[in-house]
């Protein structure tokens, strides 16, 4: 499980592809009771298996509202993001659900053109799909959906500046298109959006402290901005801890926390974090996350001078990871060979390092070559 640029990309989304009225005392949103939507938030972020049934019940009980379909698409979007697109079934389900949600939201907004919440729903559904297109390098499709979605949100804030939920996706765009990562440069060129980091950070903060459904999702993007764009890992750690305190079963956030410890060489904390993630059932709900967590825990075990644990984890990965997952298998082979080396079995380690192939993963191959060259120099 790698810390993902894709998760930090330009935009948006989540279970909050919806919002309440600017008045927090409203009893419902688009005809759905407020407490029902709050329950979706609570269960969804903790990866509770009751979430999809609750959303399906909303669709059945409130057929005139587009909210249930939007929540369904948003949940699948978030799962696809957690899985880094590795689960084809979820990706396909998201695209289908997204088309239905956009159609329902558009029809509702057309019937209620003065309802800025209806417009918000439409804009967020479009931005979810835009984000998906961008992740898959479908730049022009992403451009058109992003342009439409951002246009809706800008118009809402122009008329309703205190509608703070609409600030979050604009804040993400401002931050990531101000200090644009290389993978976003094509989109930035298409949008002609230069971004504004200071404004973006303020918009994200407003959506956290003054918004409703964006208050938690905003934390995710603030983590990304601090870690990826501003390279302030301590600030990212503080925000991440606040998110985990609120949603302790969110394995994606837990994995990011362990990754952060690993990258800052807090190996004991990282190992404990990875081991905890592997012990809870939520890890099985998300694509290849279990395998990547196991891989990283094995590499950290070597740093902690526990090569026997690393060897065990490498063996499990090589036995269970499908041959088609070439990148993961290449790194698992590296872990296995490195563990053998650290156990002092140099001859056997040479054979195992040589099994890492460039065609499977060039970075893993370069790493194996580097170690083999170091072994040659040591033996001269």
């Amino acid at each position: 499980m790698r810390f993902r640029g894709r998760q930090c990309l330009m935009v948006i989304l989540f279970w909050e592809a919806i919002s309440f009225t600017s008045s927090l005392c409203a009893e419902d949103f688009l005809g759905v009771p407020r407490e029902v939507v709050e329950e979706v938030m609570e269960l969804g972020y903790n990866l509770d298996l009751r979430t999809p049934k609750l959303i399906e019940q909303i669709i059945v009980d409130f057929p005139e509202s587009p909210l249930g379909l939007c929540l369904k698409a948003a949940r699948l979007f978030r799962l696809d993001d957690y899985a880094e697109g590795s689960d084809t079934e979820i990706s396909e389900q998201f695209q289908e659900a997204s088309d239905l949600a956009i159609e329902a939201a558009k029809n509702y907004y057309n019937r209620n053109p003065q309802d800025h919440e209806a417009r918000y729903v439409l804009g967020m559904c479009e931005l979810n799909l835009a984000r998906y297109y961008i992740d898959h390098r479908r730049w022009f499709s992403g451009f058109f959906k992003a342009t439409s979605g951002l246009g809706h949100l800008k118009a809402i804030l122009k008329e309703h500046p205190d509608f703070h939920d609409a600030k979050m996706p604009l804040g993400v765009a401002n931050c990531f298109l101000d200090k644009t990562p290389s993978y976003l440069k094509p989109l930035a060129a298409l949008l002609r959006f230069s971004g504004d980091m200071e404004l973006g950070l303020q918009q994200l903060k407003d959506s956290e402290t003054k918004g409703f459904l964006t208050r938690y999702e905003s934390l995710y993007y603030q983590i990304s901005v601090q870690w990826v764009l501003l390279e302030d890992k301590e600030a990212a750690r503080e925000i991440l801890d606040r998110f985990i305190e609120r949603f302790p079963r969110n394995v994606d956030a837990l994995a990011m926390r362990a990754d952060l410890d690993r990258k800052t060489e807090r190996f004991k904390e990282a190992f404990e974090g990875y081991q905890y993630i592997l012990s809870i059932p939520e890890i099985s709900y998300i694509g290849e996350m279990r395998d990547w967590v196991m891989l990283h825990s094995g590499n950290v075990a070597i740093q902690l001078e526990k090569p026997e644990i690393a060897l065990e984890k490498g063996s499990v990965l090589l036995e269970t990871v499908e041959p088609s997952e070439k990148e993961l298998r290449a790194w698992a082979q590296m872990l296995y060979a490195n563990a053998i080396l650290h156990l002092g079995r140099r001859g056997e380690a040479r054979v195992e390092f040589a099994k890492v192939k460039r065609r499977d993963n060039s970075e893993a191959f370069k790493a194996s070559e580097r170690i083999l060259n170091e072994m040659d120099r040591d033996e001269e």
Side-chain angles (χ1 to χ4, degrees):
M1 161 66 200
R2 300 140 292 175
F3 183 74
R4 305 180 294 279
R6 77 187 296 271
Q7 178 185 344
C8 327
L9 297 182
M10 164 227 148
V11 314
I12 8 254
L13 333 319
F14 100 130
W15 331 95
E16 67 15 358
I18 46 134
S19 170
F20 284 104
T21 68
S22 55
S23 171
L24 293 183
C25 63
E27 295 182 356
D28 62 62
F29 172 71
L30 294 179
V32 179
R34 172 176 175 172
E35 61 268 20
V36 175
V37 183
E38 289 178 317
E39 188 176 6
V40 171
M41 286 285 293
E42 181 70 30
L43 297 181
Y45 275 122
N46 274 310
L47 293 176
D48 193 297
L49 291 180
R50 292 172 291 175
T51 309
K53 290 184 179 180
L54 177 59
I55 293 174
E56 290 297 333
Q57 196 61 50
I58 293 174
I59 295 172
V60 172
D61 292 346
F62 306 97
E64 297 301 315
S65 174
L67 181 56
L69 290 170
C70 291
L71 284 171
K72 182 176 182 178
R75 174 181 175 273
L76 291 167
F77 170 85
R78 178 50 63 198
L79 291 178
D80 179 70
D81 189 48
Y82 287 166
E84 298 186 344
S86 63
D87 191 319
T88 303
E89 183 178 357
I90 288 180
S91 295
E92 292 174 351
Q93 289 176 357
F94 164 71
Q95 292 182 79
E96 181 180 352
S98 187
D99 288 339
L100 292 174
I102 289 174
E103 181 181 4
K106 187 176 295 184
N107 290 338
Y108 187 94
Y109 175 57
N110 288 339
R111 296 194 304 270
N112 302 275
Q114 301 305 314
D115 187 341
H116 62 280
E117 291 170 338
R119 192 173 193 180
Y120 176 70
V121 165
L122 175 57
M124 292 301 289
C125 287
E126 290 182 331
L127 286 169
N128 277 342
L129 188 56
R131 161 72 183 275
Y132 177 84
Y133 287 150
I134 292 163
D135 288 345
H136 292 80
R137 302 299 193 266
R138 295 165 61 178
W139 297 113
F140 284 102
S141 296
F143 163 73
F144 289 118
K145 287 298 181 186
T147 299
S148 179
L150 289 173
H152 285 306
L153 298 181
K154 289 177 181 178
I156 290 170
L157 285 176
K158 185 175 181 179
E159 297 180 12
H160 304 278
D162 292 330
F163 193 82
H164 299 291
D165 289 272
K167 293 180 180 179
M168 191 200 72
L170 293 172
V172 175
N174 268 312
C175 290
F176 277 86
L177 296 181
D178 176 64
K179 195 171 182 180
T180 311
S182 59
Y183 56 81
L184 279 182
K185 290 187 184 297
L187 181 68
L190 286 170
L191 289 175
R192 298 179 181 177
F193 194 129
S194 59
D196 184 324
M197 179 64 71
E198 183 177 353
L199 174 59
L201 286 171
Q202 185 60 55
Q203 289 171 323
L204 287 172
K205 195 65 178 177
D206 284 349
S207 66
E208 175 198 349
T209 59
K210 302 174 184 178
F212 187 74
L213 291 175
T214 55
R215 67 180 67 178
Y216 304 125
E217 189 72 4
S218 176
L219 293 174
Y220 247 130
Y221 291 100
Q222 289 183 64
I223 294 164
S224 299
V225 171
Q226 296 295 338
W227 187 344
V228 177
L229 300 184
L230 301 180
E231 300 182 356
D232 188 340
K233 292 183 175 60
E234 291 307 311
R237 189 190 308 275
E238 186 274 327
I239 300 169
L240 188 51
D241 284 347
R242 285 195 281 131
F243 183 90
I244 292 172
E245 183 178 5
R246 182 66 182 81
F247 298 103
R249 309 294 287 190
N250 188 305
V251 292
D252 186 71
L254 291 169
M256 282 199 292
R257 184 64 168 80
D259 287 348
L260 183 56
D261 284 332
R262 174 172 55 86
K263 291 176 182 293
T264 53
E265 299 186 354
R266 301 183 187 190
F267 297 123
K268 182 176 183 295
E269 293 87 344
F271 186 75
E272 291 173 352
Y274 288 132
Q275 290 298 96
Y276 173 69
I277 294 167
L278 291 170
S279 74
I280 60 178
E282 287 82 0
I283 188 63
S284 300
Y285 305 162
I286 302 175
E288 301 170 352
M289 184 178 286
R290 173 185 286 278
D291 295 332
W292 284 103
V293 167
M294 186 175 291
L295 177 76
H296 289 320
S297 68
N299 287 326
V300 171
I302 289 177
Q303 295 291 337
L304 294 173
E305 299 182 358
K306 298 180 179 180
E308 66 285 351
I309 294 178
L311 182 63
E312 179 183 354
K313 292 179 182 294
S315 298
V316 170
L317 287 170
L318 290 175
E319 290 173 1
T320 58
V321 173
E322 295 294 330
S324 59
E325 303 299 334
K326 293 184 178 181
E327 179 185 7
L328 185 53
R329 284 193 64 86
W331 285 115
Q333 183 65 46
M334 273 293 299
L335 171 62
Y336 184 78
N338 208 15
I340 291 175
L341 178 62
H342 280 77
L343 286 168
R345 294 147 54 182
R346 295 176 66 86
E348 187 178 348
R350 278 184 173 278
V351 174
E352 296 301 328
F353 279 122
K355 293 181 181 179
V356 181
K357 304 301 181 184
R358 186 190 298 274
R359 64 175 177 271
D360 293 335
N361 183 264
S362 61
E363 293 303 315
F365 176 76
K366 290 176 184 177
S368 67
E369 275 200 325
R370 184 169 60 252
I371 293 176
L372 286 170
N373 290 334
E374 289 174 357
M375 292 174 69
D376 289 339
R377 288 194 296 270
D378 290 342
E379 295 171 3
E380 288 179 354

